[in-house]
PDB file of all heavy atoms in Angstrom:
ATOM      1  N   GLU A 739      -7.535  29.233  29.868  1.00 83.00           N
ATOM      2  CA  GLU A 739      -6.514  30.267  29.653  1.00 83.00           C
ATOM      3  C   GLU A 739      -5.345  29.669  28.875  1.00 83.00           C
ATOM      4  O   GLU A 739      -5.262  28.463  28.706  1.00 83.00           O
ATOM      5  CB  GLU A 739      -6.083  30.872  30.993  1.00 83.00           C
ATOM      6  CG  GLU A 739      -5.562  29.887  32.014  1.00 83.00           C
ATOM      7  CD  GLU A 739      -4.050  29.711  31.916  1.00 83.00           C
ATOM      8  OE1 GLU A 739      -3.398  30.520  31.233  1.00 83.00           O
ATOM      9  OE2 GLU A 739      -3.544  28.748  32.499  1.00 83.00           O
ATOM     10  N   GLN A 742      -3.217  26.531  30.149  1.00 86.00           N
ATOM     11  CA  GLN A 742      -4.068  25.352  30.246  1.00 86.00           C
ATOM     12  C   GLN A 742      -4.481  24.866  28.861  1.00 86.00           C
ATOM     13  O   GLN A 742      -4.540  23.667  28.610  1.00 86.00           O
ATOM     14  CB  GLN A 742      -5.324  25.679  31.064  1.00 86.00           C
ATOM     15  CG  GLN A 742      -5.065  25.923  32.534  1.00 86.00           C
ATOM     16  CD  GLN A 742      -6.320  26.333  33.272  1.00 86.00           C
ATOM     17  OE1 GLN A 742      -7.197  26.980  32.701  1.00 86.00           O
ATOM     18  NE2 GLN A 742      -6.422  25.977  34.532  1.00 86.00           N
ATOM     19  N   ASP A 845     -12.122  30.408  47.110  1.00 46.00           N
ATOM     20  CA  ASP A 845     -11.312  29.221  47.374  1.00 46.00           C
ATOM     21  C   ASP A 845     -11.994  27.964  46.853  1.00 46.00           C
ATOM     22  O   ASP A 845     -11.346  27.044  46.348  1.00 46.00           O
ATOM     23  CB  ASP A 845     -11.057  29.075  48.878  1.00 46.00           C
ATOM     24  CG  ASP A 845     -10.131  30.151  49.410  1.00 46.00           C
ATOM     25  OD1 ASP A 845      -9.418  30.757  48.593  1.00 46.00           O
ATOM     26  OD2 ASP A 845     -10.141  30.385  50.632  1.00 46.00           O
ATOM     27  N   TYR A 847     -14.115  27.660  44.261  1.00 44.00           N
ATOM     28  CA  TYR A 847     -14.003  27.535  42.811  1.00 44.00           C
ATOM     29  C   TYR A 847     -12.562  27.293  42.383  1.00 44.00           C
ATOM     30  O   TYR A 847     -12.312  26.594  41.404  1.00 44.00           O
ATOM     31  CB  TYR A 847     -14.574  28.778  42.119  1.00 44.00           C
ATOM     32  CG  TYR A 847     -16.075  28.762  42.067  1.00 44.00           C
ATOM     33  CD1 TYR A 847     -16.835  29.681  42.775  1.00 44.00           C
ATOM     34  CD2 TYR A 847     -16.742  27.807  41.309  1.00 44.00           C
ATOM     35  CE1 TYR A 847     -18.217  29.646  42.737  1.00 44.00           C
ATOM     36  CE2 TYR A 847     -18.124  27.766  41.258  1.00 44.00           C
ATOM     37  CZ  TYR A 847     -18.858  28.687  41.973  1.00 44.00           C
ATOM     38  OH  TYR A 847     -20.217  28.647  41.928  1.00 44.00           O
ATOM     39  N   ALA A 848     -11.610  27.861  43.117  1.00 43.00           N
ATOM     40  CA  ALA A 848     -10.200  27.596  42.809  1.00 43.00           C
ATOM     41  C   ALA A 848      -9.881  26.125  43.054  1.00 43.00           C
ATOM     42  O   ALA A 848      -9.181  25.494  42.272  1.00 43.00           O
ATOM     43  CB  ALA A 848      -9.302  28.488  43.663  1.00 43.00           C
ATOM     44  N   HIS A 849     -10.437  25.576  44.157  1.00 43.00           N
ATOM     45  CA  HIS A 849     -10.224  24.157  44.438  1.00 43.00           C
ATOM     46  C   HIS A 849     -10.924  23.285  43.396  1.00 43.00           C
ATOM     47  O   HIS A 849     -10.398  22.250  42.977  1.00 43.00           O
ATOM     48  CB  HIS A 849     -10.756  23.817  45.825  1.00 43.00           C
ATOM     49  CG  HIS A 849     -10.680  22.357  46.151  1.00 43.00           C
ATOM     50  ND1 HIS A 849      -9.484  21.719  46.391  1.00 43.00           N
ATOM     51  CD2 HIS A 849     -11.645  21.401  46.245  1.00 43.00           C
ATOM     52  CE1 HIS A 849      -9.704  20.438  46.635  1.00 43.00           C
ATOM     53  NE2 HIS A 849     -11.005  20.213  46.550  1.00 43.00           N
ATOM     54  N   LYS A 850     -12.120  23.700  42.979  1.00 47.00           N
ATOM     55  CA  LYS A 850     -12.871  22.912  41.989  1.00 47.00           C
ATOM     56  C   LYS A 850     -12.077  22.811  40.691  1.00 47.00           C
ATOM     57  O   LYS A 850     -12.026  21.766  40.054  1.00 47.00           O
ATOM     58  CB  LYS A 850     -14.234  23.557  41.739  1.00 47.00           C
ATOM     59  CG  LYS A 850     -15.113  22.776  40.775  1.00 47.00           C
ATOM     60  CD  LYS A 850     -16.482  23.413  40.692  1.00 47.00           C
ATOM     61  CE  LYS A 850     -17.333  22.728  39.640  1.00 47.00           C
ATOM     62  NZ  LYS A 850     -17.539  21.306  39.890  1.00 47.00           N
ATOM     63  N   GLU A 851     -11.481  23.920  40.273  1.00 46.00           N
ATOM     64  CA  GLU A 851     -10.664  23.901  39.062  1.00 46.00           C
ATOM     65  C   GLU A 851      -9.281  23.321  39.349  1.00 46.00           C
ATOM     66  O   GLU A 851      -8.574  22.914  38.432  1.00 46.00           O
ATOM     67  CB  GLU A 851     -10.508  25.325  38.501  1.00 46.00           C
ATOM     68  CG  GLU A 851     -11.815  25.925  37.995  1.00 46.00           C
ATOM     69  CD  GLU A 851     -12.408  25.126  36.848  1.00 46.00           C
ATOM     70  OE1 GLU A 851     -11.627  24.561  36.063  1.00 46.00           O
ATOM     71  OE2 GLU A 851     -13.635  25.057  36.758  1.00 46.00           O
ATOM     72  N   CYS A 852      -8.900  23.298  40.644  1.00 46.00           N
ATOM     73  CA  CYS A 852      -7.618  22.736  41.085  1.00 46.00           C
ATOM     74  C   CYS A 852      -6.415  23.493  40.531  1.00 46.00           C
ATOM     75  O   CYS A 852      -5.289  23.069  40.719  1.00 46.00           O
ATOM     76  CB  CYS A 852      -7.499  21.264  40.681  1.00 46.00           C
ATOM     77  SG  CYS A 852      -8.762  20.232  41.423  1.00 46.00           S
ATOM     78  N   ASN A 853      -6.669  24.578  39.817  1.00 51.00           N
ATOM     79  CA  ASN A 853      -5.571  25.322  39.182  1.00 51.00           C
ATOM     80  C   ASN A 853      -4.660  24.400  38.384  1.00 51.00           C
ATOM     81  O   ASN A 853      -3.466  24.641  38.239  1.00 51.00           O
ATOM     82  CB  ASN A 853      -4.752  26.084  40.239  1.00 51.00           C
ATOM     83  CG  ASN A 853      -5.529  27.251  40.810  1.00 51.00           C
ATOM     84  OD1 ASN A 853      -6.269  27.911  40.091  1.00 51.00           O
ATOM     85  ND2 ASN A 853      -5.373  27.499  42.097  1.00 51.00           N
ATOM     86  N   ARG A 854      -5.227  23.315  37.887  1.00 61.00           N
ATOM     87  CA  ARG A 854      -4.423  22.375  37.109  1.00 61.00           C
ATOM     88  C   ARG A 854      -4.206  22.918  35.704  1.00 61.00           C
ATOM     89  O   ARG A 854      -5.066  23.564  35.139  1.00 61.00           O
ATOM     90  CB  ARG A 854      -5.132  21.021  37.011  1.00 61.00           C
ATOM     91  CG  ARG A 854      -5.349  20.319  38.319  1.00 61.00           C
ATOM     92  CD  ARG A 854      -6.163  19.067  38.086  1.00 61.00           C
ATOM     93  NE  ARG A 854      -7.431  19.397  37.435  1.00 61.00           N
ATOM     94  CZ  ARG A 854      -8.214  18.510  36.852  1.00 61.00           C
ATOM     95  NH1 ARG A 854      -7.858  17.244  36.797  1.00 61.00           N
ATOM     96  NH2 ARG A 854      -9.365  18.868  36.303  1.00 61.00           N
ATOM     97  N   LYS A 855      -3.071  22.610  35.155  1.00 67.00           N
ATOM     98  CA  LYS A 855      -2.822  22.996  33.778  1.00 67.00           C
ATOM     99  C   LYS A 855      -3.511  22.036  32.809  1.00 67.00           C
ATOM    100  O   LYS A 855      -3.916  22.422  31.720  1.00 67.00           O
ATOM    101  CB  LYS A 855      -1.315  23.052  33.501  1.00 67.00           C
ATOM    102  CG  LYS A 855      -0.633  24.221  34.209  1.00 67.00           C
ATOM    103  CD  LYS A 855       0.826  24.303  33.854  1.00 67.00           C
ATOM    104  CE  LYS A 855       1.450  25.580  34.390  1.00 67.00           C
ATOM    105  NZ  LYS A 855       1.351  25.694  35.848  1.00 67.00           N
ATOM    106  N   LEU A 856      -3.657  20.768  33.228  1.00 73.00           N
ATOM    107  CA  LEU A 856      -4.332  19.781  32.388  1.00 73.00           C
ATOM    108  C   LEU A 856      -5.802  19.723  32.780  1.00 73.00           C
ATOM    109  O   LEU A 856      -6.149  19.259  33.859  1.00 73.00           O
ATOM    110  CB  LEU A 856      -3.682  18.406  32.554  1.00 73.00           C
ATOM    111  CG  LEU A 856      -4.304  17.267  31.741  1.00 73.00           C
ATOM    112  CD1 LEU A 856      -4.230  17.591  30.246  1.00 73.00           C
ATOM    113  CD2 LEU A 856      -3.612  15.952  32.044  1.00 73.00           C
ATOM    114  N   GLN A 857      -6.669  20.210  31.900  1.00 75.00           N
ATOM    115  CA  GLN A 857      -8.086  20.346  32.228  1.00 75.00           C
ATOM    116  C   GLN A 857      -8.933  19.243  31.587  1.00 75.00           C
ATOM    117  O   GLN A 857      -9.934  19.515  30.929  1.00 75.00           O
ATOM    118  CB  GLN A 857      -8.589  21.726  31.806  1.00 75.00           C
ATOM    119  CG  GLN A 857      -7.999  22.865  32.604  1.00 75.00           C
ATOM    120  CD  GLN A 857      -8.424  22.827  34.063  1.00 75.00           C
ATOM    121  OE1 GLN A 857      -9.595  22.776  34.378  1.00 75.00           O
ATOM    122  NE2 GLN A 857      -7.456  22.864  34.965  1.00 75.00           N
TER     123      GLN A 857
END
Side-chain angles (χ1 to χ4, degrees):
E739 57 91 13
Q742 291 176 328
D845 291 341
Y847 282 113
H849 175 71
K850 183 175 175 59
E851 294 298 327
C852 298
N853 289 323
R854 297 175 303 165
K855 290 183 172 59
L856 179 60
Q857 292 294 306

